[in-house]
Amino acid sequence: VLLPLQASPTWAASDPASKGAYGMGANTTPARATDWTSYVTAVVTRYKGVIGAYEIWNEPNLKHFFNGTPDEMATLTRQAAQIIHAVDPAARNDLLRNRRGGPSLRWLRALLDHGIEVHGQIVVCPGINDGAVLDDTLAGVLDEYPELSTLAVVPLGVSAHSDEPGMRPHTRAEAAATVELVASWQASFLRLLGRRMVFAADEYYLMADRPFP
């Protein structure tokens, strides 16, 4: 099954007056990136394991379907791909290179339910599970695993021996964005749980040229 992810509702459209094939504003990009990422996350979560492939907008070369720019389409596609790989178990299998990797979080739940103290780690692969995907991941941790003792956010380590073409080091800007995102979530965890729980690795501060907290 191929499922298109498309059509901004009028209330979320960047141009609500644009006449799209599926309604007013449907052929424009979402006004807010968070509306798009929330929509993709909800769809992929609901249909994970059922949908074989996704496409971003139907025939985006036709203005009545999509009148945004190629750069905007690239951004929407990148954000959707990050979410699909992070949420869908089959995609997680591929990311972990483990055919049993998809449902592995059930074991985390079992450990926590039995009172085991767990210190977690998120390995961030730039362009795959950073940015909006990392934001959604931390929201999911708060919702589903608030019993975690700590959670480290660490950058992917890439050596000269890596043969994964999609894996690369963080840029300085990506490292800075991760530090800022973690700091924002620390405030949320502190307010809601009474502790910060999540911490960025030292490497992020070094890469971003930021002082250690």
Side-chain angles (χ1 to χ4, degrees), residues 103-121:
S104 59
L105 288 177
R106 68 173 184 240
W107 301 114
L108 174 58
R109 181 72 268 159
L111 290 170
L112 294 172
D113 287 345
H114 283 78
I116 305 298
E117 181 178 303
V118 179
H119 298 268
Q121 183 181 87

Side-chain angles (χ1 to χ4, degrees), residues 1 18 34 38 46 54 67 74 78 125 127-130 145 166 194:
V1 176
S18 180
T34 52
S38 295
R46 173 66 178 82
Y54 294 90
N67 69 0
R78 177 179 57 79
C125 304
I128 297 177
N129 66 334
D130 57 348
Y145 308 105

